[in-house]
Amino acid sequence: MKSSLSRKFLLLLGVIFVLNLIQSYTTPLIFDEAYYWHYAQNLSWGYFDHPPFVALMVKLGGLVFEGELGVRFVSCILSAAMMIVLWLCIDDERKKNYEVHFFVLVFSMALLNAYGFFTLPDTPLLFFTALFLYVYKRFLEHGTWLWSLALGLTMAGLMYSKYHAALVIFFVLFSNLKLTLNKYAWGAVLIALACYVPHFIWLFDNDFVTIKYHLFDRPNDPYSFTKYTLGYFVNLIALFGLTFPWVYWSLFKTKNTDKFTKALLFLTYGIIIFFFVSSFNRRIQTQWIIVITIPLILLVFRQIMAHNSIRKWIFRTGIANGILILYLRVGLVYESISPIYYETHGNKEWVAQIKSEIGDMPVVFENSYRNAPMYQFYAHVPTYSLNNLMYRRNQYSIDDSESKVQHQKILYISRRPSNADLEFPKGDGKMYYGQFIDDFESFRKLETLIEEPVSLNFEQNQTFKVYNPYNEPIDLSKLKFNIAYLTPYKDVKDRMAIKATPLEKNISSLPAKDTVSFSFKFPKPKMSDPTYFRIGISENGLIHGINGVNTKFE
């Protein structure tokens, strides 16, 4: 490795690494980073939205540094390591003449640049994708149990980073179907599965909550060509900025000359085609396709070495991209020079404003897994996101955050001005309102269960069950029930109260760790032909929660 990394390469890498460290230290957290910091407060083999590697990164960084740098330190290391691994994937002696061009190419990619210091699940995904390609290249050259072990561990690292990693593994292995007859390839698969067993166990223990949410419970919108498919092509351009014509030209010009090149092509085209097809069903976020930057760096750099015109244009437009990116990076820290409001702006200020008025009082945010961890990170007090039927479930729905604010005086913050004891604007200009609650009590972990196929009949008695997972019984007088009617895209349109009667007589409470059956009748919704319904529970006058899954009418 030492012979492959020249002094110039290490110097250029060191400049970017130090720049990322400085950026990490000076830039306030973005909301997703705060959310993953919340993950890291309780290490686990899985979390509501993602596998656990991002939480491990935050935890390890926090052992070395405090504050924002602690959250991002491992990201800076993985970003630098990713560039080294990509460089080692290039087995062309000419590469030493174009080290500056390599860094211009990498630095010119805006999202790849951002993930050089932001701590998000895509950061380890990018590193392990590069490492996977490197190991796969060596595996093709030396099919041994040692490389089989390395390949298996790398695949496990990919899957522990983000579920989209399955596409990376599939398209690379699909490019070489002869691997189905290769004992070392099967060994790598078995090693990866063995490493992934703890996450499988976590999913099972948590009723596959992550899979159910991503596949079945996420709301969607009606198809829009402009918003979905055209927006997807805009994202493909935005990934590369001014260099995009030459990046895609390099892709189209690349010939399938060997198994490794074939893997790079299958991975790139596979991801592009997969999400193009997906764009007819949902809006594709730019970060979902960022993984194509890894194989494209290798393919484009080949063209840089081989073609003078491509080399000049990539260098010129890459420099222009890099200058713009540097300006925007400074704008992340100094709002006054930023052309747009960004989520790094103003968070410390609104947190400080609230804390100056309430001190160390816990804060409960209505429907905000973003604001709750941000406030906790900067104010160092317990917070909780109370999710209701108009929002979505998240990590606060399954962890122990609720227990830390029970029966305490708290400030309840929402976007609703009624009965507000204080109000404050955030940096985005939106007004938020706070109400003091002297003895906060919530039961958001109660589950409503529908066990039989249901048709929308307004006269017939229906049944559902409520499971109480708490260690204490819950007085039924504290609870009220409602029905949420949803569209085919799982948007809540109607919310109506229902009278739920226990099937057993003389039931006045929900027993701890037990289930109670109730009867009810569907109220007539204002909307026509609802597709889904969900039964929610309100406790102590709070807005009804997300206590059940979206159930489709027959």
Side-chain angles (χ1 to χ4, degrees), residues 169-419:
I169 297 169
F170 173 78
F171 287 123
V172 169
L173 298 185
F174 187 66
S175 72
N176 186 3
L177 293 179
K178 289 185 178 180
L179 291 174
T180 58
L181 304 176
N182 187 313
K183 64 180 180 181
Y184 300 113
W186 280 108
V189 171
L190 292 175
I191 290 167
L193 290 174
C195 292
Y196 213 58
V197 164
H199 185 63
F200 285 135
I201 294 174
W202 181 90
L203 286 171
F204 179 81
D205 290 342
N206 288 272
D207 196 27
F208 297 95
V209 62
T210 309
I211 306 301
K212 288 180 177 179
Y213 172 72
H214 285 301
L215 294 184
F216 306 115
D217 288 338
R218 292 187 76 151
N220 205 354
D221 296 319
Y223 175 72
S224 164
F225 174 79
T226 302
K227 182 178 179 181
Y228 285 16
T229 305
L230 182 61
Y232 170 62
F233 286 109
V234 171
N235 287 340
L236 286 173
I237 294 172
L239 274 179
F240 304 105
L242 297 175
T243 64
F244 87 90
W246 295 277
V247 168
Y248 290 115
W249 183 92
S250 300
L251 173 63
F252 299 147
K253 284 293 184 179
T254 299
K255 304 297 182 183
N256 177 18
T257 56
D258 56 80
K259 291 181 179 179
F260 184 66
T261 301
K262 186 177 181 181
L264 298 178
L265 291 172
F266 266 61
L267 176 55
T268 306
Y269 281 117
I271 294 291
I272 290 174
I273 294 171
F274 177 87
F275 283 110
F276 169 69
V277 174
S278 299
S279 74
F280 292 96
N281 176 258
R282 64 182 65 247
R283 184 175 66 86
I284 305 302
Q285 298 179 25
T286 312
Q287 66 267 26
W288 292 359
I289 56 175
I290 191 178
V291 74
I292 67 171
T293 59
I294 300 300
L296 280 174
I297 286 171
L298 299 176
L299 296 177
V300 174
F301 190 72
R302 290 181 183 181
Q303 300 298 324
I304 287 175
M305 292 188 292
H307 299 284
N308 184 55
S309 61
I310 289 295
R311 181 162 59 249
K312 288 181 179 179
W313 279 109
I314 288 287
F315 190 79
R316 292 168 181 170
T317 54
I319 289 291
N321 273 353
I323 292 172
L324 177 60
I325 289 169
L326 283 173
Y327 173 75
L328 293 175
R329 286 179 62 154
V330 175
L332 294 177
V333 183
Y334 300 103
E335 185 177 356
S336 59
I337 70 166
S338 177
I340 60 171
Y341 166 80
Y342 194 65
E343 56 185 275
T344 57
H345 301 147
N347 291 315
K348 290 184 177 180
E349 289 75 13
W350 69 259
V351 170
Q353 178 185 347
I354 295 173
K355 187 165 185 180
S356 67
E357 298 193 43
I358 68 171
D360 292 332
M361 183 185 300
V363 178
V364 174
F365 289 85
E366 181 179 284
N367 292 347
S368 188
Y369 70 90
R370 293 159 58 88
N371 290 332
M374 185 70 76
Y375 189 89
Q376 184 177 358
F377 181 83
Y378 286 115
H380 310 292
V381 300
T383 62
Y384 177 56
S385 175
L386 187 84
N387 308 313
N388 66 41
L389 80 170
M390 299 303 295
Y391 197 50
R392 53 156 284 195
R393 301 186 73 209
N394 48 59
Q395 182 62 24
Y396 288 94
S397 303
I398 64 173
D399 65 19
D400 65 348
S401 300
E402 183 184 50
S403 65
K404 297 177 181 178
V405 296
Q406 294 299 292
H407 299 292
Q408 297 190 55
K409 183 176 182 179
I410 60 98
L411 180 68
Y412 184 87
I413 295 179
S414 72
R415 295 292 313 284
R416 296 176 291 110
S418 58
N419 301 319

Side-chain angles (χ1 to χ4, degrees), residues 341 415 424-432:
Y341 166 80
R415 295 292 313 284
F424 63 94
K426 281 184 58 185
D428 56 9
K430 296 178 180 178
M431 290 299 299
Y432 286 76

Side-chain angles (χ1 to χ4, degrees), residues 445-449 465-469 510 513-516:
K445 293 184 187 295
L446 290 175
E447 298 178 48
T448 56
L449 310 169
K465 296 181 179 180
V466 177
Y467 173 66
N468 175 12
L510 298 176
K513 305 291 184 181
D514 205 352
T515 302
V516 174

